[in-house]
Amino acid sequence: MTEIIFFEKTGCVNNTKQKELLSLAGHKVIPIDILKHNWNENEILSFFKNKPIKDWFNMMAPSIKSGSITPDKYNQTEALSLLLSEHILIKRPLMIINNEYIVGFDKDFLDQKIGLSSPNLKSQKLMDSDIVTCPTLQK
């Protein structure tokens, strides 16, 4: 069993499914509301320091979808300021697994890293489904 700190948007359908998949595989998930967490620059950079700035952002955030915020137009300082002021802009989920900071939910990566396999039928359905793309975008 691996302990996973899981930063989520509480109530997000996919974050709920992702946590369930991790739990069904025997891992201990410690959920933290990404919108209510008291973020600081160092903590956010722990997740994003090696990623392009545009990949720091939740592309489904209302201000990004509306076009009022264009993530690829910001430098690191500006992007950090935006993420610290509007937590809905932070890409999710964010996870800390064995002191490694992980952005997004890549089933193949996580299966190799900590194992997601479970004989549970629900687990298999979750593994076979799209639990990353926002349900409003799925056809």
Side-chain angles (χ1 to χ4, degrees):
M1 174 189 75
T2 303
E3 186 173 283
I4 301 165
I5 298 173
F6 191 94
F7 293 92
E8 65 172 334
K9 178 184 171 201
T10 302
C12 170
V13 172
N14 280 339
N15 285 166
T16 299
K17 290 177 181 178
Q18 294 160 353
K19 290 185 306 183
E20 184 174 18
L21 181 58
L22 293 166
S23 294
L24 287 169
H27 304 294
K28 179 181 180 183
V29 179
I30 301 166
I32 298 174
D33 189 325
I34 203 167
L35 302 178
K36 295 179 181 174
H37 185 68
N38 187 23
W39 292 100
N40 65 55
E41 284 186 17
N42 290 334
E43 191 173 26
I44 287 178
L45 284 175
S46 296
F47 288 98
F48 297 118
K49 63 183 168 196
N50 296 321
K51 300 200 176 310
I53 291 171
K54 67 181 173 96
D55 292 344
W56 298 9
F57 288 84
N58 168 15
M59 300 310 288
M60 293 304 300
S63 56
I64 293 176
K65 284 176 58 178
S66 74
S68 64
I69 292 179
T70 308
D72 58 357
K73 292 188 176 184
Y74 298 101
N75 65 34
Q76 179 174 307
T77 302
E78 295 165 335
L80 278 171
S81 178
L82 278 170
L83 297 178
L84 289 170
S85 66
E86 294 184 57
H87 297 168
I88 192 70
L89 295 173
I90 301 170
K91 184 174 178 117
R92 63 179 192 271
L94 300 178
M95 294 174 279
I96 303 174
I97 302 173
N98 298 325
N99 294 318
E100 185 175 345
Y101 291 75
I102 299 168
V103 177
F105 198 90
D106 180 330
K107 287 186 277 191
D108 294 332
F109 171 79
L110 291 168
D111 194 26
Q112 289 179 349
K113 181 149 198 70
I114 58 172
L116 293 179
S117 300
S118 167
N120 184 298
L121 182 59
K122 180 142 190 164
S123 177
Q124 288 307 310
K125 284 184 178 182
L126 289 169
M127 281 296 284
D128 293 340
S129 67
D130 183 350
I131 60 174
V132 174
T133 307
C134 182
T136 61
L137 296 179
Q138 295 177 15
K139 307 268 181 204

